[in-house]
Each structure stands twice: as C-alpha cells, then as structure tokens.
Amino acid sequence: MGNSTDEIKQDIIDLKKLSAQTSRPSEKMRYLKGPWAMLVTVVGIISSLFHFYTGGFKPLTTMQQRPIHLAFVLFLIFIVFPSSEKQDKNKNPSLLDLFLSIVGAGSSLYLAYHYVTIVRRGGYMLTFDMIVGLIFLILILEAARRVIGKFIVIMAGVFIAYLFFGQYAPGMFNHSGYSLSRVVHHMYMTTEGIFGIATGVSATYVYLFVLFGAFLNKSGLTELFANFALALAGHSSGGPAKVAVIASGFMGTIQGSSAANVAATGMFTIPLMKSIGYQGYFAAAVEAVASCGGQFLPPVMGASAFIMAEYLGMPYVYVAAGAVLPAILYYSAVYFQVHLRAKKKGLEGVSRDRLPPLIAVVKLQGHLIIPVIVLVVMLMNQYTALFSAFCSILAVIVVSSFRKNTRMSINDIKEALVLGAKNVLSTAIACAVVGYVVGAVNLAGVGLLITHSIVRLGEGSLLLTLVLAAGASVIMSQGLPTTSVYIINATLIAPGLIRLGVAPLVAHLFTYYWGGISAITPPVALAVYVGSGIAGSDIMKTGYTAMRLGMAGYLVPFYFVYWPVLVTRAGASITEIALALLGGAVAVFCMAVVGENYYTRKLPLWKLGILIICII
C-alpha cells in the first residue's frame, strides 16, 4: 500500500527530534536553577548588551573596555564553572565561588575605574595596586584552569617562571631576572600583558561575532544549513557524511570554534551517519574534521581573520581572499574521502522521500541567510568588522521576523544574549592567559631569539624550517581556542618563516593551519573529544581516524608555501593561479585515495607509492 502525502511528510527527517534523542557531549558548566540561574541570566544579558553597545555605538578606551570585559568573564566563570570536573554539575556554587567571582570582577574593574589616575601619575604602581594586580593575575589562572584545563596554566607558568629565573637559563636565553613588582606591573597595568592585543580582540571582535553566532543559532540558521545540506547531498552515496561536511563548513564560516561547531551540528549529523552504516568512530571523526575546517574558511575564521589583518597591517579583504582557495582544497579532500569511504563500504544515501525538498527549504528558511550576506557585503565594502557584526546582529532580528516559523520572540533574544555571554567565556579566558606568554616574550625580549633558533635549527633549509615550525605550532596550540592559537603562533613561530623569505600572509596562514589542526590531533583534540562524546566512540581511535581524514590540513599549508600564488595572488597571472589550483586539486585527490586506499577497488602498494609521489 503506497504512502499518503501525510505519511511521507511524517517520514521526513526531523532534525530537532533527532538532536533531542542524541546523547549530548559532557558539559563543564553547572546546571543552575533558581536564583543562581537568574543571576547568570541577568549578568549575561548586561554583558552582551555592554559589548553590543560599545561595538556599534561608543567604543571605550582600551584600559576601560578590556578590564570591564574581563570583569564580566571572571564573574561568570566562577559562578558557572565548578572548581573540579568531578563535582556534581547540579550543585550550586559555594560561598567561595561567589567570593572569587566578586573579587575577580572587582580586581579587573579597579583598573578600569582608576585608569585616569594611574595615567596621571605616569603609570607608577602603588603598593595597593600591586596587591590588587597580584590577586587578579592569580584568579585569571584559576579561571583558566576551570574552563580549559591544566595545560594552558602550565604553559603560562613556564613563561612566568622564566621571567623570575631567567638568570639560570642557558645561552642566549639568559637574562638578569625581574622582580615581582616589575612582572605584576607589566602584566596588569600595561597593554603588553593580560590586557594586550589578545584580550583586546576578545573584548571586541570575538565577543560580537560569538554573539552574532548565538543569534543565528536561535533564529534557526543551523537548521537551515543542515536542511540545505540534506536536500543537496543527503541522497548520494554516504550522504549523511557529506551533509556533515557541507553543514559544518557553512556553520564554521561564522562560528569558527571547532568544538562548538561539533556540538551544534554533530547532534544530528553523527546519528544520521550511524543510521546508514558508518561506524561511530568514523562518524565522529568526519564531523570533527569538517568542523575544524571552519577555522580556515572566511569570512570570520573564528575572528582570526581580523586579528591577522591587524598583525600584518593588511586590509581584511586581502586576508580573507588569501584564505579562500586553501580552505576549498581542505574541504574538497575531506568530501572526496568520505565519498570513497561510502563506495568502499557500499553505503547508500538517505531515501529521497525522507529528505526535505530543496525548494521548500529555501522558501521556508532561505531568508535566514540574509544576515550573513549583510556581514560579507559590509566587510567587502570596508566597513569596520565591529560595525559589520553590529548591523548583522540587528539584521538577524529583523530578517527572522519575515516568517512566523522563524520569528524571534523576546525570550529568544534574551536567550541569545545569555548564550553569547556563555559561549565567549572559554575564548576570552584563553586570550587573557595568552597575555602571560606574549607579555613574557615582550618583557624578556626573547621573540627574536625564538625566531633565530627556528632559523638556525632549520640550517637555512626551507623544508626543514617548515617542519620545525609545524611541529612547534601544533604543540603550542594543544587545547587552545582558535584566536589564542593564532596569536601565540603569530608571535613565536611566523617571524622565523618570514626571515627565510616566506611571504608574511603565507607564513601566518601556515602556522595558523598547523595550530588549528590541533583540534583533531591527539592527545588533546577538543573537536574529537566532543564528537566522541556524541557518538559514544573510542577517543583515540576517533582521533587517529580524524588525522587521516584531515590529511589535507597537514599538507595543504606546505603546498601553498611552495605555491604562494594560491594565497597572495599579487601580480600573478590567471595561468599561474590556475596551475596552482590544478596542482592543489590533484594533490587533494591523491590524498583522499591514499587515505582510504581505494578508488574503484583496493590499490596495490606500488600504485599507492605513485600517488604519494604525485602529492609531493
């Protein structure tokens, strides 16, 4: 008996229902209720409105904006995050947590309130300033430990210890050492330490774009991307895996955080992949690799595109244009490899009668893409990133009202404001701790020494130097959010490549790729952890599968160093760009075949050897 129209509609994949039935990844935040939940809601709304107002209407001076930003961050972290992951997440914050949140916020606001007085006395630090500053610096580390873990705290501790005990360091890294008051002053009362460029970016670009992502999420854009990808590729061989690549790529262009992207789209892509026969570890790996690519794909690149433009003194449009082609190569390699996997395993796609019709998706939800178009058009017309994000957030509210099914209520707007405040916490505190690293490098003057060491160890060989830079980038980036990854590598690693003649944008993108790929590189692979939590798969097996699927992330950076026209394109002819793109396409095709050891059938070793030579 044939299905009726109503029965067919009931069989269409319901993404909301699928997400609700899926086990969610472990969450570090407390599940607050009652007065505590109300407190976080009120503070979160105030925080988001403050950043929204200062981003679009009236930016404050540096030493007001950044301390106020960190005051909100510290207050929320000590309330929302327990002191240990073993603690019951349903348990309310203790009096100690409340005390730390108030003291942390107060020690940051102290600087914002007194900054004029401090400037008038020439930046001289009083004893009370030092006490408040020391408390602030300690609480920054404790907040980072709660949110991110021990690794970033240990890294910061190593650089702080170097400032105090540099007289015992070997060779050219030796210095006379600095007093406690000098270190506190540098880290707390200047823009060379905690309140440096990393926190500055967090307090402006990062916050507004995270808030933009929260509004897009509440308006239903994630569902639009997923439905669009389902309608486009869901029926093909291994369709759900291709859906994961497309949907996560779309969402990643705005969100840029690998782990957050996996949590958002993996809730429905991973169960879909498993439903047609993909093993759990492979499904989680596909989602992790697809989400990781969002860091590399303009327009936002996890807000790193704007930081890169500032570091290099280049227009944003130039940076975004340079990042496009390598990102396309990355996604092409992943897409083709999951296609080969489906052919190899004989996996079919989802039946067409279970997929949303493409025309219906566009009619019902297509208008939700307008805010993204507004953002891109404004950026391309050289409006500031802050004003572009500000207008795009307003556009989300206006555009969502075009249809009843997407219209944002007052409650949706409130939830988006709170979600934005919560989602920014991990990135904001990581950017603050990165201030210890950058501050120590600047104070001790070791930036040039590190650059010199990389060049010296590379012995003048570009390939050897690239390998050293790649290894250092991925190690330094373990467990860090996107913006922190870029700032550390731009400070410590990229200058060494530039000294060897690598174009500045190419050098920065190289270290950025190798830092970003740490999200899928064990042992600390945040995107993999989240995906494994959803799929219920073995973390290490998922991680090694993700490394194989994400092979392009490791190799494409080497490719565009040797073919810089893929990135810079300045003065290059159409023929040169076409040849570079063709070579890249051949390389990623070979990577996919080697990764699966399959084309139309399993390949013998000699053919694999030829493909590897083709890649090189």
Side-chain angles (χ1 to χ4, degrees):
M1 183 176 176
N3 286 336
S4 68
T5 304
D6 289 339
E7 288 172 331
I8 291 173
K9 286 181 179 178
Q10 288 172 359
D11 287 337
I12 289 178
I13 295 170
D14 187 336
L15 296 176
K16 291 182 179 178
K17 185 177 179 181
L18 192 63
S19 296
Q21 293 173 346
T22 306
S23 297
R24 296 189 176 274
S26 58
E27 176 66 67
K28 285 186 176 183
M29 294 185 185
R30 291 185 173 106
Y31 308 118
L32 299 172
K33 297 178 181 178
W36 291 105
M38 181 60 69
L39 175 64
V40 170
T41 298
V42 171
V43 175
I45 291 173
I46 295 171
S47 174
S48 290
L49 290 176
F50 164 78
H51 289 86
F52 183 68
Y53 175 77
T54 55
F57 282 105
K58 189 180 179 182
L60 301 180
T61 60
T62 296
M63 291 307 282
Q64 284 183 309
Q65 179 79 22
R66 297 176 188 181
I68 293 173
H69 165 69
L70 284 186
F72 281 118
V73 169
L74 288 172
F75 185 89
L76 288 172
I77 283 176
F78 287 113
I79 297 296
V80 170
F81 288 87
S83 59
S84 169
E85 289 188 33
K86 295 179 181 179
Q87 282 188 2
D88 183 1
K89 302 298 186 297
N90 293 302
K91 190 177 179 181
N92 287 331
S94 65
L95 289 176
L96 177 60
D97 292 322
L98 181 60
F99 174 76
L100 292 177
S101 68
I102 294 172
V103 173
S107 62
S108 193
L109 289 173
Y110 173 86
L111 195 60
Y113 183 77
H114 291 286
Y115 91 102
V116 174
T117 305
I118 293 171
V119 169
R120 285 175 178 169
R121 58 173 137 97
Y124 179 75
M125 186 173 66
L126 304 178
T127 302
F128 189 72
D129 297 337
M130 178 178 167
I131 294 171
V132 174
L134 188 58
I135 292 171
F136 172 81
L137 295 178
I138 293 171
L139 291 183
I140 285 287
L141 293 175
E142 168 58 15
R145 185 194 65 80
R146 292 189 180 202
V147 178
I148 301 172
K150 296 178 181 177
F151 181 83
I152 193 170
V153 177
I154 292 171
M155 182 175 67
V158 169
F159 278 88
I160 295 169
Y162 173 66
L163 291 179
F164 290 123
F165 304 108
Q167 62 269 34
Y168 303 110
M172 61 181 178
F173 292 100
N174 184 277
H175 63 79
S176 59
Y178 297 93
S179 65
L180 178 63
S181 60
R182 179 71 186 279
V183 172
V184 171
H185 180 273
H186 185 78
M187 295 295 180
Y188 178 64
M189 297 183 69
T190 73
T191 56
E192 300 293 323
I194 303 301
F195 298 108
I197 187 172
T199 297
V201 169
S202 169
T204 51
Y205 302 126
V206 171
Y207 201 110
L208 275 194
F209 279 98
V210 168
L211 189 59
F212 179 48
F215 271 86
L216 288 176
N217 186 37
K218 285 297 177 181
S219 72
L221 187 71
T222 304
E223 188 180 343
L224 166 63
F225 284 153
N227 280 327
F228 182 79
L230 275 170
L232 204 63
H235 64 280
S236 62
S237 298
K242 295 173 182 176
V243 169
V245 175
I246 295 170
S248 298
F250 280 148
M251 199 61 201
T253 60
I254 304 301
Q255 190 150 305
S257 168
S258 302
N261 207 355
V262 174
T265 56
M267 297 301 294
F268 51 82
T269 59
I270 290 174
L272 269 178
M273 282 185 269
K274 291 173 71 175
S275 72
I276 68 160
Y278 281 111
Q279 292 169 298
Y281 73 88
F282 188 85
V286 170
E287 178 57 43
V289 173
S291 294
C292 180
Q295 302 171 94
F296 312 136
L297 189 62
V300 179
M301 298 167 61
S304 296
F306 311 112
I307 315 172
M308 204 174 293
E310 284 199 13
Y311 257 89
L312 295 171
M314 295 175 175
Y316 158 80
V317 175
Y318 183 76
V319 172
V324 167
L325 293 183
I328 290 174
L329 290 179
Y330 175 92
Y331 273 106
S332 299
V334 179
Y335 188 92
F336 190 56
Q337 193 166 339
V338 299
H339 172 76
L340 291 179
R341 179 76 169 198
K343 290 293 187 182
K344 181 180 177 180
K345 297 292 184 181
L347 302 177
E348 298 298 327
V350 179
S351 174
R352 283 185 182 273
D353 62 1
R354 295 195 64 216
L355 297 174
L358 183 59
I359 295 175
V361 169
V362 174
K363 282 184 177 179
L364 283 172
Q365 299 174 302
H367 58 288
L368 295 177
I369 200 68
I370 293 176
V372 180
I373 296 173
V374 169
L375 172 66
V376 174
V377 169
M378 290 188 69
L379 290 172
M380 293 303 173
N381 282 283
Q382 298 185 358
Y383 285 93
T384 66
L386 284 177
F387 188 66
S388 300
F390 172 83
C391 292
S392 300
I393 292 170
L394 293 178
V396 175
I397 299 172
V398 173
V399 169
S400 68
S401 66
F402 290 176
R403 284 189 173 274
K404 186 177 179 180
N405 63 306
T406 61
R407 188 173 297 137
M408 294 185 72
S409 64
I410 295 297
N411 192 55
D412 289 331
I413 293 173
K414 181 196 77 175
E415 289 179 0
L417 291 170
V418 176
L419 182 63
K422 286 183 177 180
N423 286 351
V424 84
L425 294 179
S426 60
T427 301
I429 196 64
C431 286
V433 177
V434 164
Y436 283 108
V437 178
V438 177
V441 168
N442 290 337
L443 184 59
V446 296
L448 290 176
L449 297 179
I450 294 173
T451 297
H452 175 73
S453 297
I454 292 174
V455 174
R456 184 173 57 82
L457 290 171
E459 297 179 341
S461 166
L462 177 59
L463 179 60
L464 181 56
T465 305
L466 289 174
V467 170
L468 290 170
S473 296
V474 76
I475 290 170
M476 294 289 289
S477 305
Q478 290 286 311
L480 298 181
T482 305
T483 46
S484 305
V485 164
Y486 171 67
I487 291 167
I488 288 176
N489 291 337
T491 303
L492 301 179
I493 313 297
L497 300 181
I498 294 171
R499 275 191 64 180
L500 276 184
V502 178
L505 179 57
V506 174
H508 280 245
L509 278 176
F510 179 90
T511 59
Y512 179 58
Y513 262 74
W514 268 91
I517 213 73
S518 65
I520 60 169
T521 306
V524 186
L526 293 181
V528 169
Y529 280 21
V530 178
S532 295
I534 297 172
S537 61
D538 178 78
I539 290 175
M540 295 309 292
K541 191 172 185 179
T542 304
Y544 292 128
T545 305
M547 288 180 71
R548 178 165 55 81
L549 280 169
M551 193 188 309
Y554 301 97
L555 297 182
V556 165
F558 283 91
Y559 181 75
F560 63 63
V561 168
Y562 285 97
W563 286 83
V565 293
L566 201 67
V567 171
T568 58
R569 296 193 284 282
S573 67
I574 297 296
T575 304
E576 289 174 316
I577 296 171
L579 282 173
L581 195 55
L582 177 63
V586 171
V588 298
F589 168 82
C590 295
M591 288 175 206
V593 177
V594 169
E596 283 303 317
N597 189 15
Y598 181 86
Y599 184 51
T600 55
R601 61 181 63 86
K602 187 175 180 179
L603 301 178
L605 287 176
W606 68 271
K607 286 189 177 180
L608 286 176
I610 291 174
L611 289 173
I612 291 171
I613 291 171
C614 286
I615 295 172
I616 296 171

